[in-house]
Amino acid sequence: MPEQLVFAMEVTLNGLMTGVMYSLVALGFVLIFKASGIFNYAQGVMALFAAMTLVGIQDGRVPFAHIINEVLGTDIHYFGWEVPALLAILLTVLVMIGFALFVQKFIFRHLVGQEPIILFMATIGLAYFLEGVSDLMWGSEIRNLDVGLPQGINDTIDQVTFEIFGYGFFIDNLDLWATGIAAVLVAGLIAYAQYTKNGRAMRAVADDHQAALSVGISLNYVWILVWSLAGIVALVAGIMWGSKSGVQFSLSLIALKALPVLMLGGFTSIPGAIVGGLIIGVGEALFEFSIGPLIGGATENWFAYVLALVFLVFRPQGLFGEKIIERV
Amino acid sequence: MNEMSPDGYTTEDGRKIGGVVMEMRNITLRFGGVVAIKDISFDIREGEIRAIIGPNGAGKSSMLNVISGFYHPQEGEVWYRGARRPAMKPFQVARQGIARTFQNIALFDGMTVLDNIMTGRLNHMSASFIDQALWWGKAQREEVKNRRVAEEVIDFLEIQNIRKTPVGRLPYGLKKRVELARALVAEPSILLLDEPMAGMNVEEKEDMSRFILDVNDEFGTTIALIEHDMGVVMDLSDRVVVMDYGKKIGDGTPDEVRNNPDVIDAYLGVAHD
Ligand SMILES: Nc1ncnc2c1ncn2[C@@H]1O[C@H](COP(=O)(O)OP(=O)(O)O)[C@@H](O)[C@H]1O
Ligand SMILES: [Mg+2]
């Protein structure tokens, strides 16, 4: 097999795994957008906040230590205990549910029926607010996140591919795990939406508010639910990216990666978010591998957007959206 | 016993009508300067088919929206089962056993007929998430029961052949029927129908009339319905409220209403313009 093709296979595999992560972030957007028509600009900051909270709880940091010390004249920073990863994750989930309750009660409940652009602006405000809260609670230094996921090259894949191709693929264990977990989460979400009472209510609200109300569904409850789920998705995304490159402000920029995925997959389609994420993950990896060297590299920064734009011109409704036919 | 008796009465065709289950007292509803409902009172009795009629823009839909919690009147009280009802959200009203359909059809277009109808059962699901996730006894029994009720209603309304069709693709008449099915599977004690026969051909109208009568007869469901077509209303209903320009201009049996000079005026007026 030609050497270039083997390299391309490795690149594709890695691209697929990055793509699953993009899908995951995009899914957070889709959940909220479908149910409430809100494009949640804060989704990326939610991932940052969730990851910061997780690390903070794990390390036993005192939240708002800076303010507390300032006001009381104390100098405390740690409780002096460490919380096991699993428990810390559960506690962080609770924090994200609390955040969902807060967002619904204090912001979006008061904005029902407003123009989408107003709702969008509100989420921009929310993003900066949450960033500030995150800084106040946990500080803004870069943190290491370690929930015990294995890291480093996967030896089995390395050996097997070496025997077949005479070249060992470099696949990171962390990427493998991240892909697996993301896949399970996505499958779980789909099953949840399909078969449970809450999931059915979610789909109903996504389809028609008036009809949902008439069968006894509380919109408020469903909105809290989707914000909670989006918070959990943000936490998982935060764990994956944070484990790889540390928890810091740039983590919130993963939201920017989800945007082209949404343009490709459509803002309301769960399958669209998944397939869109995979296409962009593989597309940008292959493009960087094949064309990148010719034009000086770093094509990942813009390729996804160009791909999405080209796509948008030909299929404005996204991969799985119904064709939009203008009524005249 | 007659229509005025507090304990109810027996109709000519032998159906037992009970006491008052829902009462509107001096309802006034305004939208800015528009007064959609002007100081209207009337009641609905257990087991009866109660019609609200009147020309376009009379305020009929608004009244149904007040009953189902979609609109909140500026003045007046809603009494339900002997107690004054506080201002309620539509989903809370639905959970009290009051189901409805809409004049302009509100279905879940992205779902199949069966899925649409199953959403009507949401309030009969109580199994916890864990039960559902692990498909334990309670969740399983509930799902089986819910599916059975849904299938019964599907048979009853003769829509077996479109069970799996996405609702968005159905013709208007069938959509109206699916919407009725979704309301029925909730096993409501009161059913509110906003122009269930609007836009239908004669045959579809006859089917719908038969379904409405059968629902009332077989399940004892109290029905309040809005209808435009005088003829249909007179055949279906036990008592009729007539509205015009937000005011109540008549209330009584079909015969009484038919001979009421105000009603005749309102309808002739409409016919003339
Ligand atoms: N949501 C609303 N906002 C403003 N005006 C409304 C609204 N709903 C109804 N109206 C007005 O109330 C009046 C009665 O309307 P409606 O109840 O729909 O009448 P009907 O069902 O008898 O045709 C009309 O003048 C209508 O324009
Ligand atoms: Mg109307």
Side-chain angles (χ1 to χ4, degrees), chain A residues 192 196-197 200 203-204 207-208 210-218, chain B residues 91 94-95 102 106-111 122-123 125 129 132 143 182:
Chain A
Y192 182 78
T196 67
K197 176 181 181 181
R200 280 172 170 150
R203 281 191 295 141
D207 200 315
D208 190 308
Q210 202 185 20
L213 281 170
S214 80
V215 295
I217 296 168
S218 157
Chain B
F91 78 90
R95 288 179 188 183
F102 295 87
L107 284 167
F108 305 113
D109 280 342
M111 299 186 198
L122 275 175
N123 286 322
M125 297 181 190
F129 175 58
Q132 287 191 321
E143 185 72 12
R182 188 184 60 199

PDB file of all heavy atoms in Angstrom, chain A residues 192 196-197 200 203-204 207-208 210-218, chain B residues 91 94-95 102 106-111 122-123 125 129 132 143 182:
ATOM      1  N   TYR A 192     -32.876   8.473  25.312  1.00  0.00           N
ATOM      2  CA  TYR A 192     -33.621   9.267  26.291  1.00  0.00           C
ATOM      3  C   TYR A 192     -34.738  10.053  25.607  1.00  0.00           C
ATOM      4  O   TYR A 192     -35.889  10.048  26.044  1.00  0.00           O
ATOM      5  CB  TYR A 192     -32.656  10.212  26.998  1.00  0.00           C
ATOM      6  CG  TYR A 192     -33.259  11.070  28.067  1.00  0.00           C
ATOM      7  CD1 TYR A 192     -33.537  10.541  29.325  1.00  0.00           C
ATOM      8  CD2 TYR A 192     -33.542  12.403  27.829  1.00  0.00           C
ATOM      9  CE1 TYR A 192     -34.089  11.333  30.316  1.00  0.00           C
ATOM     10  CE2 TYR A 192     -34.096  13.203  28.817  1.00  0.00           C
ATOM     11  CZ  TYR A 192     -34.366  12.666  30.052  1.00  0.00           C
ATOM     12  OH  TYR A 192     -34.913  13.451  31.026  1.00  0.00           O
ATOM     13  N   THR A 196     -38.192   7.941  26.880  1.00  0.00           N
ATOM     14  CA  THR A 196     -38.636   8.310  28.226  1.00  0.00           C
ATOM     15  C   THR A 196     -39.725   9.376  28.167  1.00  0.00           C
ATOM     16  O   THR A 196     -39.915  10.040  27.154  1.00  0.00           O
ATOM     17  CB  THR A 196     -37.474   8.865  29.072  1.00  0.00           C
ATOM     18  OG1 THR A 196     -37.069  10.114  28.517  1.00  0.00           O
ATOM     19  CG2 THR A 196     -36.302   7.904  29.093  1.00  0.00           C
ATOM     20  N   LYS A 197     -40.402   9.517  29.291  1.00  0.00           N
ATOM     21  CA  LYS A 197     -41.461  10.521  29.384  1.00  0.00           C
ATOM     22  C   LYS A 197     -40.889  11.918  29.120  1.00  0.00           C
ATOM     23  O   LYS A 197     -41.416  12.673  28.305  1.00  0.00           O
ATOM     24  CB  LYS A 197     -42.084  10.463  30.777  1.00  0.00           C
ATOM     25  CG  LYS A 197     -43.127  11.526  30.998  1.00  0.00           C
ATOM     26  CD  LYS A 197     -43.709  11.461  32.394  1.00  0.00           C
ATOM     27  CE  LYS A 197     -44.772  12.549  32.545  1.00  0.00           C
ATOM     28  NZ  LYS A 197     -45.374  12.578  33.873  1.00  0.00           N
ATOM     29  N   ARG A 200     -39.909  12.382  25.514  1.00  0.00           N
ATOM     30  CA  ARG A 200     -41.064  12.617  24.641  1.00  0.00           C
ATOM     31  C   ARG A 200     -41.549  14.055  24.793  1.00  0.00           C
ATOM     32  O   ARG A 200     -41.914  14.709  23.810  1.00  0.00           O
ATOM     33  CB  ARG A 200     -42.192  11.643  24.977  1.00  0.00           C
ATOM     34  CG  ARG A 200     -41.968  10.264  24.372  1.00  0.00           C
ATOM     35  CD  ARG A 200     -43.007   9.305  24.893  1.00  0.00           C
ATOM     36  NE  ARG A 200     -42.963   8.033  24.162  1.00  0.00           N
ATOM     37  CZ  ARG A 200     -43.299   6.875  24.708  1.00  0.00           C
ATOM     38  NH1 ARG A 200     -43.683   6.824  25.963  1.00  0.00           N
ATOM     39  NH2 ARG A 200     -43.241   5.776  23.994  1.00  0.00           N
ATOM     40  N   ARG A 203     -39.282  16.304  22.841  1.00  0.00           N
ATOM     41  CA  ARG A 203     -39.539  16.291  21.391  1.00  0.00           C
ATOM     42  C   ARG A 203     -40.812  17.051  21.069  1.00  0.00           C
ATOM     43  O   ARG A 203     -40.905  17.742  20.055  1.00  0.00           O
ATOM     44  CB  ARG A 203     -39.641  14.857  20.888  1.00  0.00           C
ATOM     45  CG  ARG A 203     -38.276  14.205  20.704  1.00  0.00           C
ATOM     46  CD  ARG A 203     -38.405  12.906  19.951  1.00  0.00           C
ATOM     47  NE  ARG A 203     -39.160  11.934  20.706  1.00  0.00           N
ATOM     48  CZ  ARG A 203     -40.042  11.099  20.182  1.00  0.00           C
ATOM     49  NH1 ARG A 203     -40.276  11.107  18.888  1.00  0.00           N
ATOM     50  NH2 ARG A 203     -40.700  10.240  20.949  1.00  0.00           N
ATOM     51  N   ALA A 204     -41.801  16.906  21.942  1.00  0.00           N
ATOM     52  CA  ALA A 204     -43.061  17.608  21.714  1.00  0.00           C
ATOM     53  C   ALA A 204     -42.835  19.122  21.741  1.00  0.00           C
ATOM     54  O   ALA A 204     -43.293  19.844  20.859  1.00  0.00           O
ATOM     55  CB  ALA A 204     -44.089  17.205  22.764  1.00  0.00           C
ATOM     56  N   ASP A 207     -41.237  20.493  18.766  1.00  0.00           N
ATOM     57  CA  ASP A 207     -42.071  20.496  17.572  1.00  0.00           C
ATOM     58  C   ASP A 207     -43.107  21.616  17.590  1.00  0.00           C
ATOM     59  O   ASP A 207     -43.256  22.353  16.615  1.00  0.00           O
ATOM     60  CB  ASP A 207     -42.762  19.123  17.448  1.00  0.00           C
ATOM     61  CG  ASP A 207     -43.245  18.846  16.041  1.00  0.00           C
ATOM     62  OD1 ASP A 207     -43.842  19.747  15.440  1.00  0.00           O
ATOM     63  OD2 ASP A 207     -43.031  17.725  15.543  1.00  0.00           O
ATOM     64  N   ASP A 208     -43.835  21.769  18.687  1.00  0.00           N
ATOM     65  CA  ASP A 208     -44.922  22.758  18.708  1.00  0.00           C
ATOM     66  C   ASP A 208     -45.284  23.107  20.156  1.00  0.00           C
ATOM     67  O   ASP A 208     -45.791  22.275  20.891  1.00  0.00           O
ATOM     68  CB  ASP A 208     -46.141  22.182  17.982  1.00  0.00           C
ATOM     69  CG  ASP A 208     -47.218  23.234  17.738  1.00  0.00           C
ATOM     70  OD1 ASP A 208     -47.618  23.920  18.700  1.00  0.00           O
ATOM     71  OD2 ASP A 208     -47.664  23.370  16.595  1.00  0.00           O
ATOM     72  N   GLN A 210     -47.583  25.179  21.424  1.00  0.00           N
ATOM     73  CA  GLN A 210     -49.010  25.234  21.732  1.00  0.00           C
ATOM     74  C   GLN A 210     -49.568  23.826  21.947  1.00  0.00           C
ATOM     75  O   GLN A 210     -50.259  23.560  22.936  1.00  0.00           O
ATOM     76  CB  GLN A 210     -49.724  25.900  20.556  1.00  0.00           C
ATOM     77  CG  GLN A 210     -51.047  26.490  20.915  1.00  0.00           C
ATOM     78  CD  GLN A 210     -51.760  27.032  19.685  1.00  0.00           C
ATOM     79  OE1 GLN A 210     -51.466  26.654  18.539  1.00  0.00           O
ATOM     80  NE2 GLN A 210     -52.701  27.908  19.907  1.00  0.00           N
ATOM     81  N   ALA A 211     -49.211  22.930  21.039  1.00  0.00           N
ATOM     82  CA  ALA A 211     -49.689  21.561  21.149  1.00  0.00           C
ATOM     83  C   ALA A 211     -49.126  20.901  22.410  1.00  0.00           C
ATOM     84  O   ALA A 211     -49.830  20.173  23.109  1.00  0.00           O
ATOM     85  CB  ALA A 211     -49.283  20.760  19.911  1.00  0.00           C
ATOM     86  N   ALA A 212     -47.866  21.199  22.726  1.00  0.00           N
ATOM     87  CA  ALA A 212     -47.244  20.609  23.915  1.00  0.00           C
ATOM     88  C   ALA A 212     -47.996  21.043  25.173  1.00  0.00           C
ATOM     89  O   ALA A 212     -48.296  20.234  26.049  1.00  0.00           O
ATOM     90  CB  ALA A 212     -45.775  21.001  23.999  1.00  0.00           C
ATOM     91  N   LEU A 213     -48.305  22.326  25.245  1.00  0.00           N
ATOM     92  CA  LEU A 213     -49.057  22.828  26.401  1.00  0.00           C
ATOM     93  C   LEU A 213     -50.395  22.111  26.526  1.00  0.00           C
ATOM     94  O   LEU A 213     -50.827  21.767  27.620  1.00  0.00           O
ATOM     95  CB  LEU A 213     -49.307  24.330  26.241  1.00  0.00           C
ATOM     96  CG  LEU A 213     -48.140  25.256  26.587  1.00  0.00           C
ATOM     97  CD1 LEU A 213     -48.464  26.671  26.147  1.00  0.00           C
ATOM     98  CD2 LEU A 213     -47.861  25.209  28.081  1.00  0.00           C
ATOM     99  N   SER A 214     -51.043  21.887  25.382  1.00  0.00           N
ATOM    100  CA  SER A 214     -52.393  21.331  25.433  1.00  0.00           C
ATOM    101  C   SER A 214     -52.404  19.877  25.891  1.00  0.00           C
ATOM    102  O   SER A 214     -53.443  19.378  26.311  1.00  0.00           O
ATOM    103  CB  SER A 214     -53.079  21.454  24.072  1.00  0.00           C
ATOM    104  OG  SER A 214     -52.656  20.427  23.207  1.00  0.00           O
ATOM    105  N   VAL A 215     -51.273  19.178  25.816  1.00  0.00           N
ATOM    106  CA  VAL A 215     -51.250  17.810  26.352  1.00  0.00           C
ATOM    107  C   VAL A 215     -50.640  17.782  27.748  1.00  0.00           C
ATOM    108  O   VAL A 215     -50.332  16.720  28.276  1.00  0.00           O
ATOM    109  CB  VAL A 215     -50.523  16.805  25.426  1.00  0.00           C
ATOM    110  CG1 VAL A 215     -51.265  16.654  24.119  1.00  0.00           C
ATOM    111  CG2 VAL A 215     -49.080  17.193  25.200  1.00  0.00           C
ATOM    112  N   GLY A 216     -50.466  18.949  28.345  1.00  0.00           N
ATOM    113  CA  GLY A 216     -50.075  18.985  29.753  1.00  0.00           C
ATOM    114  C   GLY A 216     -48.583  19.057  30.009  1.00  0.00           C
ATOM    115  O   GLY A 216     -48.109  18.687  31.081  1.00  0.00           O
ATOM    116  N   ILE A 217     -47.818  19.524  29.020  1.00  0.00           N
ATOM    117  CA  ILE A 217     -46.370  19.631  29.219  1.00  0.00           C
ATOM    118  C   ILE A 217     -46.026  21.044  29.685  1.00  0.00           C
ATOM    119  O   ILE A 217     -46.488  22.026  29.103  1.00  0.00           O
ATOM    120  CB  ILE A 217     -45.623  19.333  27.903  1.00  0.00           C
ATOM    121  CG1 ILE A 217     -45.869  17.882  27.487  1.00  0.00           C
ATOM    122  CG2 ILE A 217     -44.121  19.597  28.063  1.00  0.00           C
ATOM    123  CD1 ILE A 217     -45.417  17.577  26.075  1.00  0.00           C
ATOM    124  N   SER A 218     -45.204  21.131  30.724  1.00  0.00           N
ATOM    125  CA  SER A 218     -44.750  22.436  31.196  1.00  0.00           C
ATOM    126  C   SER A 218     -43.519  22.850  30.399  1.00  0.00           C
ATOM    127  O   SER A 218     -42.489  22.184  30.430  1.00  0.00           O
ATOM    128  CB  SER A 218     -44.410  22.346  32.684  1.00  0.00           C
ATOM    129  OG  SER A 218     -43.509  23.370  33.029  1.00  0.00           O
TER     130      SER A 218
ATOM    131  N   PHE B  91     -50.849  23.954  30.723  1.00  0.00           N
ATOM    132  CA  PHE B  91     -50.479  22.558  31.024  1.00  0.00           C
ATOM    133  C   PHE B  91     -51.104  22.086  32.340  1.00  0.00           C
ATOM    134  O   PHE B  91     -51.407  20.913  32.501  1.00  0.00           O
ATOM    135  CB  PHE B  91     -48.952  22.388  31.032  1.00  0.00           C
ATOM    136  CG  PHE B  91     -48.248  22.887  32.269  1.00  0.00           C
ATOM    137  CD1 PHE B  91     -48.050  22.051  33.352  1.00  0.00           C
ATOM    138  CD2 PHE B  91     -47.781  24.191  32.333  1.00  0.00           C
ATOM    139  CE1 PHE B  91     -47.380  22.501  34.486  1.00  0.00           C
ATOM    140  CE2 PHE B  91     -47.119  24.653  33.455  1.00  0.00           C
ATOM    141  CZ  PHE B  91     -46.920  23.808  34.542  1.00  0.00           C
ATOM    142  N   ALA B  94     -54.656  21.147  31.528  1.00  0.00           N
ATOM    143  CA  ALA B  94     -54.652  19.849  30.860  1.00  0.00           C
ATOM    144  C   ALA B  94     -54.515  18.725  31.889  1.00  0.00           C
ATOM    145  O   ALA B  94     -55.166  17.681  31.780  1.00  0.00           O
ATOM    146  CB  ALA B  94     -53.522  19.774  29.835  1.00  0.00           C
ATOM    147  N   ARG B  95     -53.678  18.947  32.899  1.00  0.00           N
ATOM    148  CA  ARG B  95     -53.461  17.903  33.898  1.00  0.00           C
ATOM    149  C   ARG B  95     -54.678  17.692  34.789  1.00  0.00           C
ATOM    150  O   ARG B  95     -54.783  16.697  35.484  1.00  0.00           O
ATOM    151  CB  ARG B  95     -52.237  18.247  34.751  1.00  0.00           C
ATOM    152  CG  ARG B  95     -50.956  18.082  33.963  1.00  0.00           C
ATOM    153  CD  ARG B  95     -49.734  18.438  34.774  1.00  0.00           C
ATOM    154  NE  ARG B  95     -48.554  18.439  33.901  1.00  0.00           N
ATOM    155  CZ  ARG B  95     -47.323  18.655  34.336  1.00  0.00           C
ATOM    156  NH1 ARG B  95     -47.100  18.860  35.624  1.00  0.00           N
ATOM    157  NH2 ARG B  95     -46.317  18.639  33.489  1.00  0.00           N
ATOM    158  N   PHE B 102     -57.550  22.553  18.506  1.00  0.00           N
ATOM    159  CA  PHE B 102     -57.442  23.958  18.122  1.00  0.00           C
ATOM    160  C   PHE B 102     -58.132  24.229  16.794  1.00  0.00           C
ATOM    161  O   PHE B 102     -58.199  23.344  15.930  1.00  0.00           O
ATOM    162  CB  PHE B 102     -55.965  24.348  18.001  1.00  0.00           C
ATOM    163  CG  PHE B 102     -55.225  24.297  19.310  1.00  0.00           C
ATOM    164  CD1 PHE B 102     -54.657  23.102  19.743  1.00  0.00           C
ATOM    165  CD2 PHE B 102     -55.096  25.421  20.101  1.00  0.00           C
ATOM    166  CE1 PHE B 102     -53.975  23.040  20.952  1.00  0.00           C
ATOM    167  CE2 PHE B 102     -54.416  25.371  21.306  1.00  0.00           C
ATOM    168  CZ  PHE B 102     -53.848  24.171  21.732  1.00  0.00           C
ATOM    169  N   ALA B 106     -53.096  22.151  16.021  1.00  0.00           N
ATOM    170  CA  ALA B 106     -51.734  22.158  16.563  1.00  0.00           C
ATOM    171  C   ALA B 106     -51.290  20.727  16.802  1.00  0.00           C
ATOM    172  O   ALA B 106     -51.562  20.130  17.841  1.00  0.00           O
ATOM    173  CB  ALA B 106     -51.682  22.964  17.859  1.00  0.00           C
ATOM    174  N   LEU B 107     -50.630  20.166  15.780  1.00  0.00           N
ATOM    175  CA  LEU B 107     -50.098  18.812  15.910  1.00  0.00           C
ATOM    176  C   LEU B 107     -48.580  18.881  15.899  1.00  0.00           C
ATOM    177  O   LEU B 107     -47.994  19.914  15.591  1.00  0.00           O
ATOM    178  CB  LEU B 107     -50.578  17.940  14.747  1.00  0.00           C
ATOM    179  CG  LEU B 107     -52.021  17.467  14.814  1.00  0.00           C
ATOM    180  CD1 LEU B 107     -52.454  16.893  13.470  1.00  0.00           C
ATOM    181  CD2 LEU B 107     -52.212  16.428  15.915  1.00  0.00           C
ATOM    182  N   PHE B 108     -47.938  17.770  16.227  1.00  0.00           N
ATOM    183  CA  PHE B 108     -46.480  17.700  16.124  1.00  0.00           C
ATOM    184  C   PHE B 108     -46.145  17.188  14.727  1.00  0.00           C
ATOM    185  O   PHE B 108     -46.153  15.986  14.465  1.00  0.00           O
ATOM    186  CB  PHE B 108     -45.914  16.777  17.204  1.00  0.00           C
ATOM    187  CG  PHE B 108     -46.353  17.178  18.583  1.00  0.00           C
ATOM    188  CD1 PHE B 108     -47.201  16.380  19.322  1.00  0.00           C
ATOM    189  CD2 PHE B 108     -45.927  18.377  19.139  1.00  0.00           C
ATOM    190  CE1 PHE B 108     -47.611  16.753  20.595  1.00  0.00           C
ATOM    191  CE2 PHE B 108     -46.341  18.769  20.407  1.00  0.00           C
ATOM    192  CZ  PHE B 108     -47.184  17.951  21.131  1.00  0.00           C
ATOM    193  N   ASP B 109     -45.862  18.130  13.836  1.00  0.00           N
ATOM    194  CA  ASP B 109     -45.729  17.778  12.422  1.00  0.00           C
ATOM    195  C   ASP B 109     -44.578  16.816  12.146  1.00  0.00           C
ATOM    196  O   ASP B 109     -44.599  16.083  11.168  1.00  0.00           O
ATOM    197  CB  ASP B 109     -45.542  19.045  11.578  1.00  0.00           C
ATOM    198  CG  ASP B 109     -46.875  19.740  11.335  1.00  0.00           C
ATOM    199  OD1 ASP B 109     -47.913  19.067  11.510  1.00  0.00           O
ATOM    200  OD2 ASP B 109     -46.880  20.930  10.983  1.00  0.00           O
ATOM    201  N   GLY B 110     -43.559  16.852  12.998  1.00  0.00           N
ATOM    202  CA  GLY B 110     -42.412  15.988  12.762  1.00  0.00           C
ATOM    203  C   GLY B 110     -42.622  14.551  13.226  1.00  0.00           C
ATOM    204  O   GLY B 110     -41.772  13.699  13.002  1.00  0.00           O
ATOM    205  N   MET B 111     -43.734  14.300  13.911  1.00  0.00           N
ATOM    206  CA  MET B 111     -43.950  12.953  14.447  1.00  0.00           C
ATOM    207  C   MET B 111     -44.996  12.196  13.631  1.00  0.00           C
ATOM    208  O   MET B 111     -45.792  12.787  12.919  1.00  0.00           O
ATOM    209  CB  MET B 111     -44.449  13.033  15.897  1.00  0.00           C
ATOM    210  CG  MET B 111     -43.521  13.707  16.871  1.00  0.00           C
ATOM    211  SD  MET B 111     -44.226  13.541  18.538  1.00  0.00           S
ATOM    212  CE  MET B 111     -43.306  14.812  19.393  1.00  0.00           C
ATOM    213  N   LEU B 122     -48.951  11.394  27.991  1.00  0.00           N
ATOM    214  CA  LEU B 122     -47.804  11.759  28.839  1.00  0.00           C
ATOM    215  C   LEU B 122     -48.189  11.880  30.312  1.00  0.00           C
ATOM    216  O   LEU B 122     -47.432  11.490  31.189  1.00  0.00           O
ATOM    217  CB  LEU B 122     -47.176  13.070  28.360  1.00  0.00           C
ATOM    218  CG  LEU B 122     -46.155  12.917  27.225  1.00  0.00           C
ATOM    219  CD1 LEU B 122     -45.689  14.277  26.749  1.00  0.00           C
ATOM    220  CD2 LEU B 122     -44.957  12.105  27.703  1.00  0.00           C
ATOM    221  N   ASN B 123     -49.383  12.403  30.560  1.00  0.00           N
ATOM    222  CA  ASN B 123     -49.765  12.588  31.961  1.00  0.00           C
ATOM    223  C   ASN B 123     -50.201  11.307  32.647  1.00  0.00           C
ATOM    224  O   ASN B 123     -50.505  11.300  33.825  1.00  0.00           O
ATOM    225  CB  ASN B 123     -50.850  13.648  32.070  1.00  0.00           C
ATOM    226  CG  ASN B 123     -50.276  15.028  31.853  1.00  0.00           C
ATOM    227  OD1 ASN B 123     -49.174  15.305  32.301  1.00  0.00           O
ATOM    228  ND2 ASN B 123     -50.995  15.871  31.137  1.00  0.00           N
ATOM    229  N   MET B 125     -48.097   8.801  32.492  1.00  0.00           N
ATOM    230  CA  MET B 125     -46.812   8.128  32.716  1.00  0.00           C
ATOM    231  C   MET B 125     -46.229   8.646  34.017  1.00  0.00           C
ATOM    232  O   MET B 125     -46.111   9.846  34.212  1.00  0.00           O
ATOM    233  CB  MET B 125     -45.833   8.436  31.591  1.00  0.00           C
ATOM    234  CG  MET B 125     -46.287   7.938  30.240  1.00  0.00           C
ATOM    235  SD  MET B 125     -45.043   8.328  28.993  1.00  0.00           S
ATOM    236  CE  MET B 125     -45.949   7.925  27.503  1.00  0.00           C
ATOM    237  N   PHE B 129     -37.248   7.731  35.889  1.00  0.00           N
ATOM    238  CA  PHE B 129     -36.252   7.585  34.840  1.00  0.00           C
ATOM    239  C   PHE B 129     -35.524   6.241  34.952  1.00  0.00           C
ATOM    240  O   PHE B 129     -35.296   5.553  33.958  1.00  0.00           O
ATOM    241  CB  PHE B 129     -35.260   8.746  34.940  1.00  0.00           C
ATOM    242  CG  PHE B 129     -34.121   8.619  33.985  1.00  0.00           C
ATOM    243  CD1 PHE B 129     -34.355   8.521  32.625  1.00  0.00           C
ATOM    244  CD2 PHE B 129     -32.818   8.574  34.450  1.00  0.00           C
ATOM    245  CE1 PHE B 129     -33.299   8.393  31.741  1.00  0.00           C
ATOM    246  CE2 PHE B 129     -31.762   8.444  33.573  1.00  0.00           C
ATOM    247  CZ  PHE B 129     -32.007   8.354  32.217  1.00  0.00           C
ATOM    248  N   GLN B 132     -37.610   3.482  33.779  1.00  0.00           N
ATOM    249  CA  GLN B 132     -37.706   3.497  32.317  1.00  0.00           C
ATOM    250  C   GLN B 132     -36.413   3.016  31.671  1.00  0.00           C
ATOM    251  O   GLN B 132     -36.438   2.231  30.736  1.00  0.00           O
ATOM    252  CB  GLN B 132     -38.036   4.912  31.838  1.00  0.00           C
ATOM    253  CG  GLN B 132     -39.473   5.275  32.129  1.00  0.00           C
ATOM    254  CD  GLN B 132     -39.879   6.551  31.418  1.00  0.00           C
ATOM    255  OE1 GLN B 132     -39.110   7.491  31.321  1.00  0.00           O
ATOM    256  NE2 GLN B 132     -41.095   6.578  30.925  1.00  0.00           N
ATOM    257  N   GLU B 143     -46.324   1.435  29.737  1.00  0.00           N
ATOM    258  CA  GLU B 143     -46.191   1.553  28.290  1.00  0.00           C
ATOM    259  C   GLU B 143     -47.218   0.665  27.593  1.00  0.00           C
ATOM    260  O   GLU B 143     -47.852   1.079  26.623  1.00  0.00           O
ATOM    261  CB  GLU B 143     -44.763   1.180  27.877  1.00  0.00           C
ATOM    262  CG  GLU B 143     -44.466   1.390  26.394  1.00  0.00           C
ATOM    263  CD  GLU B 143     -44.345   2.859  25.999  1.00  0.00           C
ATOM    264  OE1 GLU B 143     -44.257   3.723  26.908  1.00  0.00           O
ATOM    265  OE2 GLU B 143     -44.361   3.135  24.795  1.00  0.00           O
ATOM    266  N   ARG B 182     -55.584  12.548  19.822  1.00  0.00           N
ATOM    267  CA  ARG B 182     -54.605  12.906  20.853  1.00  0.00           C
ATOM    268  C   ARG B 182     -55.293  13.439  22.107  1.00  0.00           C
ATOM    269  O   ARG B 182     -54.884  13.160  23.224  1.00  0.00           O
ATOM    270  CB  ARG B 182     -53.629  13.953  20.313  1.00  0.00           C
ATOM    271  CG  ARG B 182     -52.478  14.229  21.260  1.00  0.00           C
ATOM    272  CD  ARG B 182     -51.584  15.330  20.753  1.00  0.00           C
ATOM    273  NE  ARG B 182     -52.319  16.572  20.602  1.00  0.00           N
ATOM    274  CZ  ARG B 182     -51.912  17.590  19.852  1.00  0.00           C
ATOM    275  NH1 ARG B 182     -50.778  17.509  19.180  1.00  0.00           N
ATOM    276  NH2 ARG B 182     -52.626  18.683  19.761  1.00  0.00           N
TER     277      ARG B 182
END
